[in-house]
Amino acid sequence: TGCLPAGIGAMTALTKIELSQNSLSCALPSQLGLATSLRTVNFDSNFMTGVLPSTIGQLAHLRDWRAQRNSFSGYLPSELGHMSSLEQFVMDFNSLTGPLPSE
């Protein structure tokens, strides 16, 4: 349970976050975008809320993003278009609204 700490962004050598089914219940910290070595992120099946921070667009090496079965809301940030290595982006079973980013 709990939240992802803002200090996660200081972990610049971190390549993988695997935190599915941990009852995390906060919004993602904007500092997550500073962990620029990330390749894989999995937040599936938690209770995470809020909007996706635009700073995740800074994760240029990210290949796999999974955050299904949470309570994220709002629009997908247009900065997702900067994630040139992204192969999978899974966000089903959330409360997202609006169009897909055009970038």
Side-chain angles (χ1 to χ4, degrees):
T1 64
C3 301
L4 198 63
I8 193 88
M11 298 178 166
T12 56
L14 186 65
T15 61
K16 183 176 185 177
I17 297 175
E18 181 69 51
L19 290 171
S20 63
Q21 300 181 13
N22 278 283
S23 299
L24 297 175
S25 58
C26 293
L28 288 175
S30 61
Q31 294 88 341
L32 180 63
L34 300 174
T36 55
S37 294
L38 280 172
R39 305 284 192 278
T40 303
V41 171
N42 187 342
F43 295 124
D44 286 353
S45 302
N46 282 289
F47 302 101
M48 301 181 93
T49 61
V51 298
L52 294 180
S54 61
T55 54
I56 67 170
Q58 298 171 358
L59 302 176
H61 301 291
L62 191 71
R63 284 182 252 153
D64 188 8
W65 173 278
R66 296 173 186 271
Q68 61 205 34
R69 293 182 174 85
N70 280 285
S71 296
F72 289 111
S73 60
Y75 289 87
L76 292 174
S78 62
E79 289 81 0
L80 290 178
H82 302 160
M83 299 166 82
S84 57
S85 298
L86 193 63
E87 296 173 4
Q88 293 192 29
F89 186 81
V90 183
M91 290 288 299
D92 52 329
F93 299 102
N94 280 283
S95 297
L96 299 171
T97 58
L100 293 175
S102 59
E103 292 184 41

